[in-house]
Amino acid sequence: MALSLVVFGPPGAGKGTQASQLGHSRGIPQISTGDILREAVHAGTDLGRQAKTIMDKGELVSDELIVGIIRERLRRDDVEQGFVLDGFPRTVAQAVALDEILTGGDPLVIIELNVSDRALVQRLSARRVCGRCGATYGASDGEPPSICSNCGADLVLRSDDRKEVVLERLRVYQEQTQPLVAFYQDRVTFRSIDGDQSPDAVQTAIDAAIDIMAVTVVREERSSVG
Ligand SMILES: [Zn+2]
């Protein structure tokens, strides 16, 4: 059975880290819409130019454009054993489109990372990025680091990690993405994970949840057959 996975949660919940680890441990590609868009902008493709125009205006890339990107990406051969989506779906309309794209395939396994607003603001305001090589540094205990251990350049606060921007990103998340919980919560393949724990503990909880859900799905398939 292929493992079709979605990981979602608010900005700062650590979904990129978790999705990347899941990709490695399960041997499936991590598909990040943020990465795809950044690469397209960098490469100057048609898609990249369209996306850049929209993002430069501070607007969100449309559902239609993002769904098109995902539809294309899920046609590639490397998703035969599954995939982990990170940053998609971001709205209920995108979730509906994803169900449509996956019609007839294995059930989608959905993980929500549930993190308190207070923890998110704290984590994001302690996050730093290297001005030269782009390495990012998470919030460990105490003072955030100031020098890049990779290249020695100064670390800075990412412009979208400033507190007022963080609060706005959380507001947008509540309004546009939080409704995914109601959309998915009645499925046997949905789990909400406590994201206030350490990254290692979150990873362990996600792995356990996925394994339990895989068993549930197989059981349901058997009972519906026999
Ligand atoms: Zn650096």
Side-chain angles (χ1 to χ4, degrees):
M1 191 179 98
L3 181 60
S4 309
L5 260 176
V6 160
V7 179
F8 76 97
K15 57 184 178 300
T17 307
Q18 295 298 336
S20 161
Q21 257 152 5
L22 280 165
H24 285 127
S25 66
R26 306 270 168 173
I28 51 179
Q30 174 197 6
I31 300 176
S32 154
T33 45
D35 288 349
I36 292 175
L37 285 174
R38 273 189 291 275
E39 279 163 26
V41 169
H42 189 71
T45 61
D46 264 3
L47 166 68
R49 276 194 295 271
Q50 280 182 58
K52 189 172 188 307
T53 310
I54 296 163
M55 291 185 295
D56 282 349
K57 282 191 262 177
E59 291 166 10
L60 285 177
V61 178
S62 71
D63 282 347
E64 200 188 343
L65 190 62
I66 292 282
V67 167
I69 290 170
I70 294 296
R71 193 187 300 277
E72 282 298 313
R73 181 63 187 83
L74 293 180
R75 279 191 191 130
R76 285 204 219 156
D77 292 342
D78 65 346
V79 301
E80 211 163 284
Q81 293 309 308
F83 53 82
V84 50
L85 280 170
D86 151 28
F88 181 93
R90 192 159 278 183
T91 64
V92 170
Q94 291 177 8
V96 170
L98 180 61
D99 280 345
E100 185 258 315
I101 291 170
L102 299 176
T103 302
D106 289 307
L108 188 63
V109 173
I110 307 116
I111 302 287
E112 182 212 7
L113 295 179
N114 189 5
V115 189
S116 64
D117 281 3
R118 227 182 102 207
L120 290 174
V121 172
Q122 242 169 28
R123 278 186 210 176
L124 289 172
S125 58
R127 193 156 72 170
R128 293 292 181 274
V129 61
C130 173
R132 187 187 293 158
C133 75
T136 55
Y137 294 83
S140 47
D141 294 331
E143 282 295 293
S146 58
I147 300 290
C148 180
S149 59
N150 193 29
C151 74
D154 287 342
L155 299 181
V156 293
L157 187 66
R158 256 175 40 160
S159 58
D160 56 350
D161 284 347
R162 280 175 301 135
K163 192 171 180 191
E164 64 274 17
V165 182
V166 166
L167 292 175
E168 173 60 13
R169 287 164 68 202
L170 289 178
R171 193 194 61 76
V172 169
Y173 179 83
Q174 291 292 342
E175 188 182 296
Q176 302 199 344
T177 310
Q178 189 68 35
L180 287 179
V181 174
F183 180 79
Y184 284 131
Q185 68 185 354
D186 292 337
R187 301 189 187 187
V188 292
T189 52
F190 170 82
R191 287 291 186 285
S192 184
I193 302 290
D194 174 9
D196 277 351
Q197 316 170 78
S198 72
D200 283 350
V202 171
Q203 193 189 344
T204 304
I206 292 176
D207 272 326
I210 291 173
D211 292 338
I212 289 168
M213 283 189 274
V215 171
T216 312
V217 168
V218 169
R219 218 177 264 151
E220 288 218 337
E221 278 173 356
R222 277 196 195 134
S223 65
S224 66
V225 168

